Amino acid sequence: MVAPVTDIEMPADAAVEAPVALPPLQLLHVDERLAVVNKPAGLMVHDSKLARGEDDFLADRLREQLGRPIFLVHRLDRATSGCLLLAFDRESASVLGKSLMGGDVTKDYLAICRGWPAEAAFTVDHDLDGGPGKPVKKQAITHFQRVAVGEISVPVGEFATSRYALLRCQPQTGRFRQIRRHLKHLSHHLIGDTSHGDGRHNRSFRMQGIHRMLLHAERLRFPHPDGTPMDVSAPVEGEFRKAMDLFGW
């Protein structure tokens, strides 16, 4: 004889919680053909071999938020925040991609590094490989400007105080982790960079509540597919702003 089916009361602590609604991504510019989004630090742009089983990506969030297909024109590292350009159709994506490859797109980044670079403006021309599995080195050029310098009374190593600089960076080429690796080449390691940075200085900033990599895509200048010059900026916020406040920048 088959027992009748009855409702089973679940224990209170076994109740399934509703998913937390994520805040919408900030759109710095949007029109019928393209958008520039302010990418948060810590969010991967799209699924890749580096995703390691993750399922939260900026591209997926934007498709749902905007209700339309998107085409990424360039990429930002997971730990980098700021301006990210995308198109809404293949034709616009192709035009923007050609502008990018042709050097018509200018990208300005802000970075906080260890030490004080000696020159107010300098260029690094140091060949880089293409990352894991891509050992061939190609020319990589980054332009830097020293925006501000500061010193805090937090000892790292043998010194009683620590010096840091705020840099503006313009990569002329687009190699894998180019800014981060060029700063390592100079021994002015990017703060918060766990792959190419200096662990002692990273720990010092974490002790002050700053856990992110301090690289921010501040400004993007490019020709719109219709020919209009575009100039879009992303505000410095959150832990990056907190780091700047340590020095009164």
Side-chain angles (χ1 to χ4, degrees), residues 41-77:
L43 177 63
M44 293 198 74
V45 171
H46 62 99
D47 198 358
S48 70
K49 293 180 180 179
L50 300 176
R52 300 175 182 174
E54 295 187 31
D55 58 4
D56 184 21
F57 305 102
L58 177 140
D60 294 338
R61 285 200 204 178
L62 275 178
R63 290 187 188 99
E64 183 175 353
Q65 179 176 329
L66 298 172
R68 60 192 304 183
I70 65 167
F71 300 85
L72 297 167
V73 177
H74 69 113
R75 309 289 189 271
L76 291 176
D77 292 343

CSV table of all heavy atoms in Angstrom, one decimal, residues 41-77:
chain,number,residue,atom,x,y,z
A,41,ALA,N,36.2,47.3,-9.2
A,41,ALA,CA,37.4,46.4,-8.9
A,41,ALA,C,36.9,45.1,-8.4
A,41,ALA,O,35.9,45.0,-7.6
A,41,ALA,CB,38.3,47.1,-7.9
A,42,GLY,N,37.5,44.0,-8.8
A,42,GLY,CA,37.2,42.7,-8.3
A,42,GLY,C,36.2,41.9,-9.1
A,42,GLY,O,35.9,40.7,-8.8
A,43,LEU,N,35.7,42.5,-10.1
A,43,LEU,CA,34.7,41.8,-11.0
A,43,LEU,C,35.3,41.5,-12.3
A,43,LEU,O,35.9,42.4,-13.0
A,43,LEU,CB,33.5,42.8,-11.2
A,43,LEU,CG,32.4,42.2,-12.2
A,43,LEU,CD1,31.7,41.0,-11.6
A,43,LEU,CD2,31.3,43.3,-12.4
A,44,MET,N,35.3,40.2,-12.7
A,44,MET,CA,35.8,39.8,-14.0
A,44,MET,C,34.9,40.3,-15.1
A,44,MET,O,33.7,40.4,-15.0
A,44,MET,CB,35.9,38.3,-14.1
A,44,MET,CG,36.9,37.7,-13.1
A,44,MET,SD,37.4,36.0,-13.6
A,44,MET,CE,38.5,36.3,-15.0
A,45,VAL,N,35.6,40.7,-16.2
A,45,VAL,CA,34.8,41.2,-17.4
A,45,VAL,C,34.0,40.1,-18.1
A,45,VAL,O,32.8,40.3,-18.4
A,45,VAL,CB,35.8,41.9,-18.4
A,45,VAL,CG1,35.1,42.3,-19.7
A,45,VAL,CG2,36.4,43.2,-17.7
A,46,HIS,N,34.6,39.0,-18.3
A,46,HIS,CA,33.9,37.9,-19.0
A,46,HIS,C,34.5,36.6,-18.6
A,46,HIS,O,35.6,36.5,-18.0
A,46,HIS,CB,34.0,38.1,-20.5
A,46,HIS,CG,35.5,38.0,-21.0
A,46,HIS,ND1,36.0,36.9,-21.6
A,46,HIS,CD2,36.5,39.0,-21.0
A,46,HIS,CE1,37.3,37.2,-21.9
A,46,HIS,NE2,37.6,38.4,-21.6
A,47,ASP,N,33.9,35.5,-19.0
A,47,ASP,CA,34.3,34.2,-18.7
A,47,ASP,C,35.6,33.9,-19.5
A,47,ASP,O,35.7,34.2,-20.6
A,47,ASP,CB,33.3,33.1,-19.0
A,47,ASP,CG,33.5,31.8,-18.3
A,47,ASP,OD1,34.5,31.7,-17.6
A,47,ASP,OD2,32.7,30.9,-18.5
A,48,SER,N,36.6,33.2,-18.8
A,48,SER,CA,37.8,32.9,-19.5
A,48,SER,C,38.5,31.7,-18.7
A,48,SER,O,38.0,31.3,-17.7
A,48,SER,CB,38.8,34.1,-19.6
A,48,SER,OG,39.2,34.4,-18.3
A,49,LYS,N,39.7,31.3,-19.1
A,49,LYS,CA,40.5,30.3,-18.4
A,49,LYS,C,40.8,30.8,-17.0
A,49,LYS,O,41.1,29.9,-16.1
A,49,LYS,CB,41.7,29.9,-19.2
A,49,LYS,CG,41.4,29.3,-20.5
A,49,LYS,CD,42.7,28.9,-21.3
A,49,LYS,CE,42.4,28.2,-22.6
A,49,LYS,NZ,43.7,27.9,-23.3
A,50,LEU,N,40.9,32.1,-16.8
A,50,LEU,CA,41.3,32.6,-15.5
A,50,LEU,C,40.1,32.7,-14.5
A,50,LEU,O,40.3,33.0,-13.4
A,50,LEU,CB,41.8,34.0,-15.7
A,50,LEU,CG,43.1,34.2,-16.6
A,50,LEU,CD1,43.5,35.7,-16.7
A,50,LEU,CD2,44.3,33.4,-16.0
A,51,ALA,N,38.9,32.3,-15.0
A,51,ALA,CA,37.7,32.5,-14.2
A,51,ALA,C,37.7,31.5,-13.0
A,51,ALA,O,37.1,31.8,-12.0
A,51,ALA,CB,36.5,32.3,-15.0
A,52,ARG,N,38.2,30.3,-13.2
A,52,ARG,CA,38.3,29.3,-12.1
A,52,ARG,C,37.0,29.0,-11.5
A,52,ARG,O,36.8,29.0,-10.3
A,52,ARG,CB,39.3,29.7,-11.1
A,52,ARG,CG,40.7,29.9,-11.6
A,52,ARG,CD,41.7,30.5,-10.5
A,52,ARG,NE,43.0,30.7,-11.1
A,52,ARG,CZ,44.0,31.3,-10.4
A,52,ARG,NH1,43.8,31.7,-9.2
A,52,ARG,NH2,45.2,31.4,-11.0
A,53,GLY,N,36.0,28.7,-12.3
A,53,GLY,CA,34.7,28.3,-11.8
A,53,GLY,C,33.8,29.4,-11.4
A,53,GLY,O,32.7,29.1,-10.9
A,54,GLU,N,34.2,30.6,-11.5
A,54,GLU,CA,33.3,31.7,-11.1
A,54,GLU,C,32.1,31.9,-12.1
A,54,GLU,O,32.2,31.4,-13.2
A,54,GLU,CB,34.1,33.0,-11.1
A,54,GLU,CG,35.2,33.0,-10.0
A,54,GLU,CD,35.8,34.4,-9.9
A,54,GLU,OE1,35.2,35.4,-10.1
A,54,GLU,OE2,37.0,34.5,-9.5
A,55,ASP,N,31.1,32.5,-11.6
A,55,ASP,CA,29.9,32.7,-12.5
A,55,ASP,C,29.3,34.1,-12.5
A,55,ASP,O,28.2,34.3,-12.9
A,55,ASP,CB,28.8,31.7,-12.0
A,55,ASP,CG,28.4,31.8,-10.6
A,55,ASP,OD1,28.9,32.8,-9.9
A,55,ASP,OD2,27.5,31.0,-10.1
A,56,ASP,N,30.1,35.0,-12.0
A,56,ASP,CA,29.7,36.4,-11.9
A,56,ASP,C,30.6,37.3,-12.8
A,56,ASP,O,31.8,37.4,-12.5
A,56,ASP,CB,29.7,37.0,-10.5
A,56,ASP,CG,29.1,38.4,-10.4
A,56,ASP,OD1,28.4,38.8,-11.3
A,56,ASP,OD2,29.4,39.1,-9.4
A,57,PHE,N,30.0,37.8,-13.9
A,57,PHE,CA,30.8,38.5,-14.9
A,57,PHE,C,30.1,39.8,-15.3
A,57,PHE,O,28.9,39.9,-15.4
A,57,PHE,CB,31.1,37.6,-16.2
A,57,PHE,CG,31.7,36.3,-15.9
A,57,PHE,CD1,30.9,35.2,-15.8
A,57,PHE,CD2,33.1,36.2,-15.6
A,57,PHE,CE1,31.5,33.9,-15.5
A,57,PHE,CE2,33.6,35.0,-15.3
A,57,PHE,CZ,32.8,33.8,-15.3
A,58,LEU,N,31.0,40.8,-15.5
A,58,LEU,CA,30.4,42.1,-15.9
A,58,LEU,C,29.6,42.0,-17.2
A,58,LEU,O,28.5,42.6,-17.3
A,58,LEU,CB,31.6,43.1,-16.1
A,58,LEU,CG,31.2,44.5,-16.6
A,58,LEU,CD1,32.0,45.6,-15.8
A,58,LEU,CD2,31.4,44.7,-18.1
A,59,ALA,N,30.1,41.3,-18.2
A,59,ALA,CA,29.3,41.2,-19.4
A,59,ALA,C,27.9,40.6,-19.2
A,59,ALA,O,27.0,41.1,-19.8
A,59,ALA,CB,30.1,40.3,-20.4
A,60,ASP,N,27.8,39.6,-18.4
A,60,ASP,CA,26.5,39.0,-18.2
A,60,ASP,C,25.6,40.0,-17.4
A,60,ASP,O,24.4,40.1,-17.7
A,60,ASP,CB,26.6,37.7,-17.3
A,60,ASP,CG,27.3,36.6,-18.1
A,60,ASP,OD1,27.4,36.7,-19.4
A,60,ASP,OD2,27.9,35.7,-17.5
A,61,ARG,N,26.2,40.7,-16.4
A,61,ARG,CA,25.4,41.7,-15.7
A,61,ARG,C,24.8,42.8,-16.6
A,61,ARG,O,23.7,43.2,-16.5
A,61,ARG,CB,26.2,42.3,-14.6
A,61,ARG,CG,26.5,41.4,-13.4
A,61,ARG,CD,26.9,42.3,-12.2
A,61,ARG,NE,27.6,41.7,-11.2
A,61,ARG,CZ,28.1,42.3,-10.1
A,61,ARG,NH1,27.9,43.6,-10.0
A,61,ARG,NH2,28.8,41.6,-9.2
A,62,LEU,N,25.7,43.2,-17.5
A,62,LEU,CA,25.3,44.3,-18.4
A,62,LEU,C,24.2,43.9,-19.4
A,62,LEU,O,23.3,44.6,-19.7
A,62,LEU,CB,26.5,44.8,-19.2
A,62,LEU,CG,27.3,45.9,-18.4
A,62,LEU,CD1,28.5,46.3,-19.3
A,62,LEU,CD2,26.5,47.1,-18.1
A,63,ARG,N,24.3,42.7,-19.9
A,63,ARG,CA,23.3,42.2,-20.8
A,63,ARG,C,21.9,42.1,-20.1
A,63,ARG,O,20.9,42.5,-20.7
A,63,ARG,CB,23.7,40.8,-21.3
A,63,ARG,CG,24.8,40.7,-22.3
A,63,ARG,CD,25.0,39.4,-22.9
A,63,ARG,NE,26.3,39.3,-23.6
A,63,ARG,CZ,27.4,38.8,-23.2
A,63,ARG,NH1,27.5,38.3,-21.9
A,63,ARG,NH2,28.5,38.8,-23.9
A,64,GLU,N,21.9,41.7,-18.9
A,64,GLU,CA,20.7,41.7,-18.1
A,64,GLU,C,20.2,43.1,-17.8
A,64,GLU,O,19.0,43.4,-17.9
A,64,GLU,CB,20.8,40.8,-16.9
A,64,GLU,CG,19.6,40.7,-16.1
A,64,GLU,CD,19.7,39.7,-14.9
A,64,GLU,OE1,20.8,39.1,-14.8
A,64,GLU,OE2,18.8,39.6,-14.1
A,65,GLN,N,21.1,43.9,-17.4
A,65,GLN,CA,20.8,45.3,-17.0
A,65,GLN,C,20.2,46.1,-18.1
A,65,GLN,O,19.2,46.9,-18.0
A,65,GLN,CB,22.0,46.0,-16.4
A,65,GLN,CG,21.8,47.5,-15.9
A,65,GLN,CD,23.0,48.1,-15.3
A,65,GLN,OE1,23.8,47.3,-14.6
A,65,GLN,NE2,23.2,49.3,-15.4
A,66,LEU,N,20.8,46.0,-19.3
A,66,LEU,CA,20.4,46.8,-20.5
A,66,LEU,C,19.4,46.1,-21.4
A,66,LEU,O,18.8,46.7,-22.2
A,66,LEU,CB,21.7,47.1,-21.3
A,66,LEU,CG,22.7,48.0,-20.5
A,66,LEU,CD1,24.0,48.1,-21.4
A,66,LEU,CD2,22.2,49.3,-20.2
A,67,GLY,N,19.3,44.8,-21.2
A,67,GLY,CA,18.3,44.0,-22.0
A,67,GLY,C,18.7,44.0,-23.5
A,67,GLY,O,17.8,44.0,-24.3
A,68,ARG,N,19.9,43.9,-23.8
A,68,ARG,CA,20.3,43.9,-25.2
A,68,ARG,C,21.7,43.3,-25.3
A,68,ARG,O,22.5,43.2,-24.3
A,68,ARG,CB,20.3,45.3,-25.8
A,68,ARG,CG,21.3,46.3,-25.1
A,68,ARG,CD,21.1,47.7,-25.5
A,68,ARG,NE,21.1,47.9,-26.9
A,68,ARG,CZ,21.0,49.1,-27.5
A,68,ARG,NH1,20.8,50.2,-26.8
A,68,ARG,NH2,21.1,49.2,-28.8
A,69,PRO,N,22.1,42.8,-26.5
A,69,PRO,CA,23.5,42.2,-26.7
A,69,PRO,C,24.5,43.3,-26.5
A,69,PRO,O,24.3,44.5,-26.7
A,69,PRO,CB,23.4,41.7,-28.1
A,69,PRO,CG,22.0,41.7,-28.5
A,69,PRO,CD,21.3,42.7,-27.7
A,70,ILE,N,25.7,42.9,-26.0
A,70,ILE,CA,26.8,43.8,-25.9
A,70,ILE,C,28.1,43.2,-26.6
A,70,ILE,O,28.2,42.0,-26.6
A,70,ILE,CB,27.1,44.2,-24.5
A,70,ILE,CG1,27.6,43.0,-23.7
A,70,ILE,CG2,25.9,44.9,-23.8
A,70,ILE,CD1,28.2,43.4,-22.3
A,71,PHE,N,29.0,44.0,-27.0
A,71,PHE,CA,30.2,43.6,-27.7
A,71,PHE,C,31.4,44.3,-27.0
A,71,PHE,O,31.4,45.6,-27.1
A,71,PHE,CB,30.2,43.8,-29.2
A,71,PHE,CG,29.1,43.1,-29.9
A,71,PHE,CD1,27.8,43.7,-30.0
A,71,PHE,CD2,29.3,41.9,-30.5
A,71,PHE,CE1,26.8,43.1,-30.6
A,71,PHE,CE2,28.3,41.3,-31.2
A,71,PHE,CZ,27.0,41.8,-31.2
A,72,LEU,N,32.2,43.6,-26.3
A,72,LEU,CA,33.3,44.3,-25.6
A,72,LEU,C,34.4,44.8,-26.6
A,72,LEU,O,34.8,44.0,-27.4
A,72,LEU,CB,33.9,43.3,-24.6
A,72,LEU,CG,33.0,42.8,-23.4
A,72,LEU,CD1,33.6,41.6,-22.7
A,72,LEU,CD2,32.7,43.9,-22.5
A,73,VAL,N,34.8,46.0,-26.4
A,73,VAL,CA,35.8,46.6,-27.3
A,73,VAL,C,37.2,46.4,-26.8
A,73,VAL,O,38.1,46.2,-27.5
A,73,VAL,CB,35.5,48.1,-27.6
A,73,VAL,CG1,36.6,48.7,-28.4
A,73,VAL,CG2,34.1,48.3,-28.2
A,74,HIS,N,37.3,46.4,-25.5
A,74,HIS,CA,38.6,46.1,-24.8
A,74,HIS,C,38.4,45.4,-23.5
A,74,HIS,O,37.2,45.1,-23.1
A,74,HIS,CB,39.5,47.3,-24.7
A,74,HIS,CG,39.0,48.3,-23.7
A,74,HIS,ND1,39.7,48.7,-22.6
A,74,HIS,CD2,37.9,49.1,-23.7
A,74,HIS,CE1,39.0,49.6,-21.9
A,74,HIS,NE2,37.9,49.9,-22.6
A,75,ARG,N,39.4,45.2,-22.7
A,75,ARG,CA,39.3,44.4,-21.5
A,75,ARG,C,40.0,45.2,-20.3
A,75,ARG,O,40.9,46.0,-20.6
A,75,ARG,CB,39.9,43.0,-21.5
A,75,ARG,CG,39.5,42.2,-22.7
A,75,ARG,CD,38.1,41.7,-22.6
A,75,ARG,NE,37.7,40.7,-23.6
A,75,ARG,CZ,37.2,41.0,-24.8
A,75,ARG,NH1,37.0,42.3,-25.1
A,75,ARG,NH2,37.0,40.1,-25.7
A,76,LEU,N,39.6,44.9,-19.1
A,76,LEU,CA,40.3,45.4,-17.9
A,76,LEU,C,40.6,44.2,-17.0
A,76,LEU,O,39.7,43.3,-17.0
A,76,LEU,CB,39.5,46.4,-17.2
A,76,LEU,CG,39.3,47.8,-17.8
A,76,LEU,CD1,38.4,48.7,-16.9
A,76,LEU,CD2,40.7,48.5,-18.0
A,77,ASP,N,41.7,44.1,-16.3
A,77,ASP,CA,41.9,43.1,-15.4
A,77,ASP,C,40.9,43.1,-14.3
A,77,ASP,O,40.3,44.1,-14.0
A,77,ASP,CB,43.3,43.2,-14.7
A,77,ASP,CG,44.5,43.0,-15.6
A,77,ASP,OD1,44.3,42.5,-16.7
A,77,ASP,OD2,45.6,43.5,-15.3
